[in-house]
Amino acid sequence: MRKVLKNEAVQAFIASVICILLGILIGYIVLLFINPAGAGESIVNVIKNFFTWSRPASQMKQLGNTLAKTMPLILCSLSILFSYKVGLFNIGTAGQYVAGACASLYAALAWGWGWLPCVLFAVFAGAFLGTITGLLKAYCNVNEVISGIMLNWISLYLTNTLLTNVKETASPYTLYLDKTNPKALLPTLGLDTLFNKNANVTIAVPITILAAFAVWIILSKTKLGYELKATGNNKNAAKYAGMAQNRNIIMTLAISGALAGLAAALLYLTGYMRWECTQSSVPSMGFNGIAAAFLGGLHPLGAIFSSFFIQHITDGGQYVNTNFYSSQISDVISSVIIYLCGFVLFIKLTMKKILANKEEKKGAK
Amino acid sequence: MLLLIQYTLIFASVLLLVALGGCISEHSGVINLGLEGIMVVGALGGALVMSSLGTSSAFVMVLVAMLAAILAGMLYSCLLGVAAIHFKADQTLVGTAMNLLATAAATVFVKAMNTAANPDNHSSEIEYISARKMFIVNINGFEFNWFMLVAVIAVVLVYFLLYKNRLGLRLMACGEHPQAAASVGVSVYKMRWTGVLMSGALGGLGGLCYILAGVSVWKFENGVAGFGFLALAVMIFGQWKPTRIALAALIFGLFRALSNTYTGFPFLVSLNLPGNVYNMMPYIVCLIVLAFTSKASRAPKAEGIPYDKGSR
């Protein structure tokens, strides 16, 4: 037992579970504070999400919708954690995601491209935006958080302007993908039949899982990953060891941006969501990626599970009793979880201390 | 033209207040990326007072609303203080979490309040039409806002605090080399708390100023549109010095004001650019300015590094 507890991965897992439980508890307290009558039922609904439906068929359908949104979230959290491992906090993921949405939708709706070129174009757009942040960081010493935020807003307004060309005349939303250009829809590979013919479950699932493994392998098994991590740990030491520090920074942010761009393409090309051209805030997907990345212990495979959890409760937010509460309660829970993730280091240290103390006592006996 | 000056001054006031907050916090050694969230909470505190105080004299209203914003901002900044000063948390992560939490919590709170008052009302808006008029003195068509004065006072105060005062010099020492400051008996924890709380107060005040800038009703779902981060850019452009920050705030305020008033200039209208171009302007200018000014950064040396008594 003690040996298990000493394992880094197990400690990270316990710390994440503590964060989740505290986050849900605080969400529950907020609901109690607003109206004690329905708080219990609503928080249970948030956690149950698709299980609130009684028929198994509807449950599968709703699970499919949650999965469709989980895939981009996984990719966003991969984007965040990839750059974080290199010592860069890429908050620009949110904007790179927007750029990906813009590129994929514009290519699909205005130029009538097929799905694969659309996806690649979105990847390129995200990487391009990431490269800008990288260049600014490497050559002008601009803090990547601030330039990332600025680019988030710039890309939001740019996207709104560009996608206005392909929107419906009567509404602020972009045209329906399945009516305008069905060949841009992602192929389902028969996955839709597993989820009660939910066409939102597509090739995105295998692509995302592959991406997670690829990021894991790059970071832990290749020379490139080693160099990138070394740059993150101590850039002066890395430079001294002959690693191209500037190139590494730019490359990291480009890859990070590419992942975010891919995320957007894999959501918007399912036709599940349409872009609203009057949107006044950056979509929260990129920011939720931060929560998922840290909750997953900054491990690519951990990100898969944490992303599912975050998306699960975010979708669960719509099942609260809207007579008293609003669905944003899930945003409160996930942001509290991000905040608590700041304490993970402390939780781990405490665990180590307790274990060490116990061993010392045992040794004294 | 008058309108442009008016909007420039009010947006500059917002940026100035918040940037000064960030400046004090960073001088004490804590990077406050949560300013955006602090602004939202400060705005909420002020808006609640403005909508509930009802009819009272303008003086009382202005004073109480400002105090509420300051208090709300300070309370919220404690989240950063606890995590960054005592638990050595990653300041970037905590700041980001605070930004997300503020918008989400404010939305949930305001919606719950509106729904409790009227079961059919699910909006996240607070109205303060009559209260807003009390902040404004109309001088021949120019709407003078009391916040413009407050911002000027804040620059002077922060200048004296940082450079002409024992507290300020000690505080800055904690941002440059906390171990050295501790060795001569300065409490690093106390100084960093002072920095964080002051930035909370100024950030909250800036948040209230922001929602009073052009409108009489605020939708809390929208947050403050990256203004907290623009303020940080103003601070970097101002090289962490109060007087330079004031100048930087004016420049950024001008570009922000253009997006509100460009329709009043025949020359700009004739260019026939989409409105979104003007919306993008402050952010683009910010990037360009940062690209040229960040190289010779005068950032406090120990900012963002958790204080560890034992390290050298």
Side-chain angles (χ1 to χ4, degrees):
Chain A
M1 179 67 194
R2 197 155 288 156
K3 230 178 202 168
V4 175
L5 280 176
K6 261 190 178 168
N7 186 323
E8 278 281 331
V10 174
Q11 285 184 354
F13 178 74
I14 295 176
S16 298
V17 171
I18 293 176
C19 290
I20 289 175
L21 291 179
L22 281 174
I24 291 174
L25 180 70
I26 291 173
Y28 179 57
I29 292 171
V30 171
L31 290 182
L32 272 183
F33 187 69
I34 295 171
N35 188 330
E41 192 202 339
S42 288
I43 198 81
V44 169
N45 282 354
V46 169
I47 299 166
K48 271 161 80 180
N49 182 14
F50 53 86
F51 286 120
T52 40
W53 294 77
S54 48
R55 280 179 45 232
S58 332
Q59 282 183 2
M60 283 318 273
K61 188 141 204 167
Q62 294 301 321
L63 171 62
N65 283 343
T66 300
L67 277 182
K69 281 185 170 173
T70 302
M71 297 308 130
L73 186 58
I74 294 174
L75 288 164
C76 282
S77 72
L78 289 175
S79 159
I80 303 268
L81 79 87
F82 188 79
S83 52
Y84 196 80
K85 289 273 183 193
V86 192
L88 297 161
F89 197 82
N90 184 15
I91 203 166
T93 291
Q96 290 143 12
Y97 175 81
V98 172
C102 180
S104 58
L105 283 177
Y106 201 86
L109 295 171
W111 300 330
W113 290 9
W115 68 273
L116 191 60
C118 285
V119 170
L120 293 177
F121 191 47
V123 169
F124 172 77
F128 175 73
L129 215 57
T131 309
I132 297 180
T133 314
L135 286 170
L136 284 170
K137 172 80 180 178
Y139 293 107
C140 304
N141 192 28
V142 178
N143 183 321
E144 78 278 6
V145 175
I146 303 207
S147 65
I149 292 281
M150 297 301 136
L151 285 169
N152 285 353
W153 289 99
I154 294 172
S155 52
L156 175 73
Y157 287 123
L158 205 60
T159 302
N160 279 347
T161 313
L162 285 174
L163 289 186
T164 305
N165 295 329
V166 288
K167 82 175 182 67
E168 287 182 319
T169 28
S171 80
Y173 290 95
T174 47
L175 295 162
Y176 279 103
L177 203 56
D178 50 351
K179 284 179 199 149
T180 320
N181 180 12
K183 65 176 194 296
L185 285 172
L186 294 174
T188 55
L189 301 180
L191 283 168
D192 52 339
T193 46
L194 292 175
F195 296 93
N196 192 18
K197 297 205 183 85
N198 187 339
N200 296 328
V201 188
T202 58
I203 195 169
V205 179
I207 291 181
T208 305
I209 306 294
L210 278 179
F213 274 97
V215 167
W216 179 48
I217 288 167
I218 290 177
L219 278 175
S220 57
K221 310 277 182 220
T222 64
K223 178 170 156 252
L224 172 73
Y226 186 83
E227 278 199 16
L228 293 182
K229 279 194 291 188
T231 311
N233 283 336
N234 188 337
K235 62 177 182 188
N236 294 328
K239 198 175 170 188
Y240 182 70
M243 297 171 189
Q245 178 205 349
N246 282 349
R247 194 205 63 189
N248 285 350
I249 288 175
I250 297 167
M251 192 141 69
T252 303
L253 285 165
I255 293 176
S256 180
L259 286 165
L262 177 64
L266 292 188
L267 178 62
Y268 284 95
L269 292 179
T270 60
Y272 181 29
M273 299 233 323
R274 294 187 292 156
W275 185 267
E276 186 190 345
C277 298
T278 50
Q279 210 154 305
S280 60
S281 59
V282 182
S284 60
M285 189 66 82
F287 301 116
N288 283 341
I290 304 172
F294 280 89
L295 194 60
L298 291 170
H299 192 286
L301 304 184
I304 297 178
F305 299 101
S306 60
S307 300
F308 180 76
F309 174 77
I310 298 270
Q311 193 54 47
H312 181 74
I313 60 165
T314 305
D315 281 349
Q318 58 189 316
Y319 299 113
V320 297
N321 184 342
T322 44
N323 288 331
F324 311 114
Y325 315 117
S326 48
S327 59
Q328 276 88 354
I329 189 69
S330 358
D331 296 346
V332 172
I333 296 176
S334 54
S335 52
V336 167
I337 291 176
I338 310 183
Y339 178 75
L340 292 171
C341 283
F343 295 83
V344 162
L345 189 68
F346 173 78
I347 298 176
K348 277 191 194 165
L349 278 178
T350 318
M351 271 195 273
K352 274 184 195 144
K353 237 184 227 168
I354 294 173
L355 285 176
N357 274 349
K358 276 195 178 155
E359 244 161 49
E360 217 168 86
K361 269 184 198 157
K362 213 179 170 190
K365 271 177 194 168
Chain B
M1 196 63 202
L2 204 59
L3 205 60
L4 180 66
I5 295 174
Q6 176 194 319
Y7 273 110
T8 302
L9 286 179
I10 192 68
F11 284 126
S13 306
V14 179
L15 290 171
L16 182 50
L17 286 168
V18 183
L20 286 174
C23 164
I24 298 183
S25 170
E26 296 215 352
H27 272 307
S28 78
V30 180
I31 297 181
N32 191 348
L33 278 181
L35 277 171
E36 179 112 350
I38 292 174
M39 283 176 77
V40 171
V41 174
L44 179 63
L48 286 179
V49 165
M50 290 193 295
S51 69
S52 61
L53 208 55
T55 47
S56 59
S57 74
F59 179 73
V60 174
M61 173 65 87
V62 170
L63 200 69
V64 177
M66 283 187 185
L67 280 178
I70 290 177
L71 212 66
M74 282 171 91
L75 268 179
Y76 196 60
S77 68
C78 290
L79 282 182
L80 175 67
V82 171
I85 301 172
H86 294 292
F87 288 95
K88 300 181 180 166
D90 183 319
Q91 296 173 9
T92 316
L93 176 66
V94 170
T96 310
M98 285 170 70
N99 295 336
L100 298 176
L101 179 62
T103 314
T107 310
V108 167
F109 181 80
V110 176
K111 276 191 176 174
M113 202 180 68
N114 283 341
T115 315
N118 172 8
D120 294 326
N121 184 354
H122 293 297
S123 81
S124 62
E125 296 179 338
I126 295 185
E127 255 186 26
Y128 40 87
I129 298 168
S130 59
R132 180 169 181 263
K133 288 183 186 134
M134 298 182 191
F135 279 84
I136 287 165
V137 184
N138 201 324
I139 310 166
N140 292 334
F142 175 80
E143 289 187 349
F144 172 80
N145 192 315
W146 285 114
F147 266 109
M148 297 174 190
L149 183 68
V150 170
V152 174
I153 296 174
V155 181
V156 177
L157 281 182
V158 171
Y159 180 80
F160 276 95
L161 171 82
L162 285 183
Y163 299 117
K164 309 281 173 196
N165 190 293
R166 197 181 288 170
L167 175 70
L169 292 170
R170 285 182 177 168
L171 186 133
M172 287 205 284
C174 294
E176 294 295 336
H177 199 312
Q179 286 81 12
S183 74
V184 291
V186 176
S187 164
V188 177
Y189 292 114
K190 230 185 247 171
M191 286 301 132
R192 290 201 163 173
W193 265 109
T194 313
V196 168
L197 287 176
M198 279 190 180
S199 78
L202 286 165
L205 211 50
L208 176 60
C209 180
Y210 182 65
I211 65 166
L212 281 167
V215 288
S216 306
V217 53
W218 192 256
K219 194 175 176 191
F220 278 88
E221 250 165 285
N222 286 345
V224 291
F227 246 68
F229 288 98
L230 268 181
L232 285 176
V234 164
M235 176 195 75
I236 294 173
F237 185 37
Q239 293 288 321
W240 289 265
K241 293 188 181 97
T243 40
R244 282 218 207 169
I245 288 175
L247 276 177
L250 276 177
I251 298 173
F252 277 79
L254 173 70
F255 281 101
R256 177 60 182 78
L258 267 181
S259 75
N260 277 47
T261 55
Y262 73 95
T263 43
F265 295 89
F267 157 69
L268 291 176
V269 174
S270 68
L271 286 177
N272 215 358
L273 294 167
N276 276 333
V277 171
Y278 296 97
N279 286 334
M280 275 187 262
M281 208 62 115
Y283 308 107
I284 295 176
V285 171
C286 172
L287 271 187
I288 296 171
V289 160
L290 284 180
F292 285 104
T293 54
S294 294
K295 198 92 194 178
S297 165
R298 296 268 161 75
K301 288 235 162 49
E303 69 168 17
I305 305 165
Y307 171 52
D308 180 359
K309 271 182 195 160
S311 84
R312 283 159 194 264

